[in-house]
């Protein structure tokens, strides 16, 4: 894999070592994560589709893998997953364009 050094393979040993460095924090995060992804007003599939979209916006390869897999386990189709990714794409592009208002405001201060 071309990015192997940038994104190392996740192993149980590596995850255990990482967790051991801050055990209270990892326990709190794991409990928080379980609570967030539990069915509530939104079902589990919808929450996983949101996570897939957000993973693309935050550009977290680990999140993309994990939540795409979870979304499929919760019944999401490939088409639903791709639509969620396109929503993320539009939001990321839209946010960049929306922030052009800041550049416009700054340009207006310079009447060259």
């Amino acid at each position: 894999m071309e990015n192997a050094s940038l994104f190392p393979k996740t192993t149980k040993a590596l995850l255990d070592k990482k967790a051991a460095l801050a055990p209270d924090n990892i326990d709190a995060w794991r409990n928080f994560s379980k609570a967030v992804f539990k069915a509530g007003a939104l079902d589990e599939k919808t929450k996983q589709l949101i996570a897939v979209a957000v993973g693309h916006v935050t550009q977290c390869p680990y999140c993309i893998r994990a939540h795409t897999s979870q979304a499929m386990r919760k019944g999401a189709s490939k088409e639903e997953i791709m639509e969620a990714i396109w929503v993320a794409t539009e939001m990321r592009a839209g946010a960049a364009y929306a922030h052009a208002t800041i550049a416009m405001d700054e340009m207006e201060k310079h009447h060259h």
Side-chain angles (χ1 to χ4, degrees):
M1 182 165 123
E2 148 184 341
N3 289 324
S5 62
L6 186 59
F7 301 110
K9 182 169 173 49
T10 302
T11 64
K12 172 108 171 74
L14 196 56
L15 290 175
D16 290 346
K17 284 181 183 180
K18 188 171 65 168
L21 293 172
D24 290 345
N25 293 351
I26 195 68
D27 286 345
W29 180 74
R30 285 175 177 157
N31 288 330
F32 177 59
S33 184
K34 284 178 192 163
V36 166
F37 285 102
K38 190 172 62 175
L42 296 172
D43 62 39
E44 290 179 334
K45 180 179 94 169
T46 301
K47 289 184 176 192
Q48 290 301 328
L49 288 168
I50 291 167
V52 169
V54 173
H56 281 79
V57 173
T58 60
Q59 299 183 320
C60 171
Y62 300 104
C63 304
I64 292 167
R65 274 196 193 283
H67 291 287
T68 298
S69 178
Q70 282 294 322
M72 293 189 84
R73 280 193 200 105
K74 298 298 179 184
S77 68
K78 291 177 181 179
E79 292 81 4
E80 287 173 316
I81 291 167
M82 191 55 68
E83 276 194 27
I85 293 166
W86 275 109
V87 170
T89 302
E90 190 283 338
M91 292 296 292
R92 187 156 176 120
Y97 182 67
H99 280 80
T101 305
I102 297 167
M104 292 297 299
D105 183 57
E106 193 60 30
M107 289 187 281
E108 291 299 313
K109 296 175 185 175
H110 300 274
H111 299 289
H112 296 101

